[in-house]
Amino acid sequence: MKTSVALHTYLQEQRARVEAALQNVFPVDWAIPERLREAMDYSLLAGGKRLRPILALAAAEAVTGKEETSDRALAFACSVEMIHTYSLVHDDLPAMDNDDYRRGRPTNHKVFGDAMAILAGDGLLTHAFHVASRATDDGVSAERALAVIRELSCYAGLPGMVGGQVSDMLGEQGITSLEQLEHIHLHKTSDLIAFSLRAGGHAAEADERQVEALGRFGRNIGLAFQIQDDILDLTGSADKLGKPVKSDERQHKVTYPYLLGLDESRRRVSELTREATDALLQVGLAKPERLLEIADYLLNRDH
């Protein structure tokens, strides 16, 4: 799929907004040990698509139809990116995935050592909640900010991403069912995407039905994205994807195509996408088109 000029421009502009905001998440008057700050910045400012924060901004705009509404979601957007980054720093550690490179350069622990990488992750995680609380400075009500912080602790925590990571780790001993595989990806991948959209909705003062619909949209798109990733690992080209293909097959990983076959996996992506779209279009959002466009870009990529 070739990205439209308008969507490409939008993604570039929102990514730049997020990058600029992330440069300023640590207060300059705080006495943070310099080495810790360097380690946190090393991973937090390493680039990437910034998908989750962009979805938070786009969700806020979708509720009211006004671009300026997304300003109120910027603190939440930064907080979810900090959570995502800490999870990558910890995932890369020798005790976890033991990866040497992330985004084309040495992983955090390869540069700063295991102990500092752990502490950098801890710092990013805890400071994410401080950043989320600062949404009140941008016009978000204290009630909505508290709701988002409470949700973040769940979606990123024990019943969410952390729980999903544990299930994935234990699943290496042998996943035997589709239910097990789906549980892992719903919590390891989809939960932060669903949270990002719900947070954007809260920032724009969406009603309960709209917030729930944004969350369902994120849940389904996150799961569909993972299934599509599994499909592309078998059918895509390394040049277009920018990473080796058939790695899941070589590592004997249990994936959706492994359990369902390619045709049924593709049908599942279509079903999840349709359900996500229906959820979004039935709750009176002022401008849902951008979110649908982003989802289409993610799920029909061969890049």
Side-chain angles (χ1 to χ4, degrees):
M1 174 189 174
K2 186 176 180 180
T3 313
S4 71
V5 173
L7 179 60
H8 178 76
T9 300
Y10 175 83
L11 293 174
Q12 290 290 94
E13 290 174 347
Q14 301 312 308
R15 188 179 298 119
R17 284 180 70 196
V18 172
E19 296 286 352
L22 289 173
Q23 294 274 356
N24 298 303
V25 291
F26 302 117
V28 294
D29 58 339
W30 282 17
I32 302 172
E34 187 60 31
R35 190 63 171 168
L36 175 61
R37 186 188 289 269
E38 289 175 6
M40 290 188 294
D41 282 345
Y42 179 82
S43 294
L44 184 62
L45 305 179
K49 293 180 179 179
R50 308 301 192 190
L51 168 64
R52 292 156 191 80
I54 290 174
L55 285 172
L57 300 177
E61 184 179 339
V63 173
T64 66
K66 300 176 181 177
E67 291 183 17
E68 57 268 27
T69 307
S70 67
D71 291 344
R72 301 209 300 262
L74 196 52
F76 298 148
C78 288
S79 67
V80 75
E81 188 66 8
M82 295 174 75
I83 296 279
H84 176 58
T85 301
Y86 113 78
S87 74
L88 299 180
V89 172
H90 281 187
D91 278 355
D92 290 337
L93 288 164
M96 299 286 283
D97 293 340
N98 196 23
D99 285 322
D100 293 342
Y101 290 91
R102 168 76 63 180
R103 292 172 179 159
R105 62 179 189 166
T107 45
N108 198 292
H109 69 277
K110 285 293 180 181
V111 176
F112 297 94
D114 292 4
M116 188 58 70
I118 292 170
L119 291 168
D122 292 345
L124 290 167
L125 169 61
T126 52
H127 194 59
F129 291 92
H130 175 86
V131 172
S133 75
R134 296 197 325 227
T136 55
D137 298 340
D138 299 323
V140 177
S141 71
E143 182 180 8
R144 292 280 188 165
L146 177 60
V148 170
I149 291 168
R150 181 178 291 140
E151 289 188 15
L152 181 56
S153 70
C154 292
Y155 279 96
L158 307 182
M161 184 187 71
V162 172
Q165 295 280 29
V166 170
S167 296
D168 188 29
M169 182 178 65
L170 297 177
E172 292 175 3
Q173 299 170 12
I175 298 171
T176 59
S177 71
L178 180 62
E179 289 74 22
Q180 284 178 291
L181 185 64
E182 192 154 296
H183 173 85
I184 289 168
H185 291 307
L186 279 174
H187 297 299
K188 184 179 177 181
T189 301
S190 288
D191 274 353
L192 277 194
I193 293 174
F195 165 78
S196 300
L197 288 146
R198 289 178 63 93
H202 279 300
E205 299 185 352
D207 62 39
E208 186 176 346
R209 287 179 64 246
Q210 290 172 331
V211 171
E212 287 299 316
L214 287 164
R216 286 198 303 276
F217 176 79
R219 174 189 184 278
N220 282 17
I221 292 302
L223 187 55
F225 179 82
Q226 179 60 54
I227 300 172
Q228 184 74 343
D229 201 56
D230 289 351
I231 292 170
L232 288 174
D233 186 72
L234 287 174
T235 64
S237 71
D239 288 342
K240 289 184 177 181
L241 292 174
K243 62 180 182 179
V245 295
K246 295 186 170 58
S247 59
D248 291 340
E249 195 173 53
R250 287 192 298 273
Q251 297 172 35
H252 305 291
K253 288 183 65 175
V254 176
T255 64
Y256 284 89
Y258 176 87
L259 290 174
L260 298 175
L262 280 171
D263 288 344
E264 182 62 19
S265 294
R266 291 188 177 109
R267 189 197 67 78
R268 183 70 174 132
V269 169
S270 297
E271 180 183 55
L272 287 165
T273 304
R274 183 175 64 254
E275 290 174 0
T277 301
D278 289 347
L280 211 60
L281 295 179
Q282 293 173 2
V283 290
L285 296 175
K287 190 180 175 183
E289 296 82 10
R290 184 74 74 191
L291 287 174
L292 295 174
E293 206 177 2
I294 294 172
D296 187 60
Y297 161 71
L298 291 172
L299 297 178
N300 292 285
R301 75 202 194 286
D302 60 356
H303 46 79

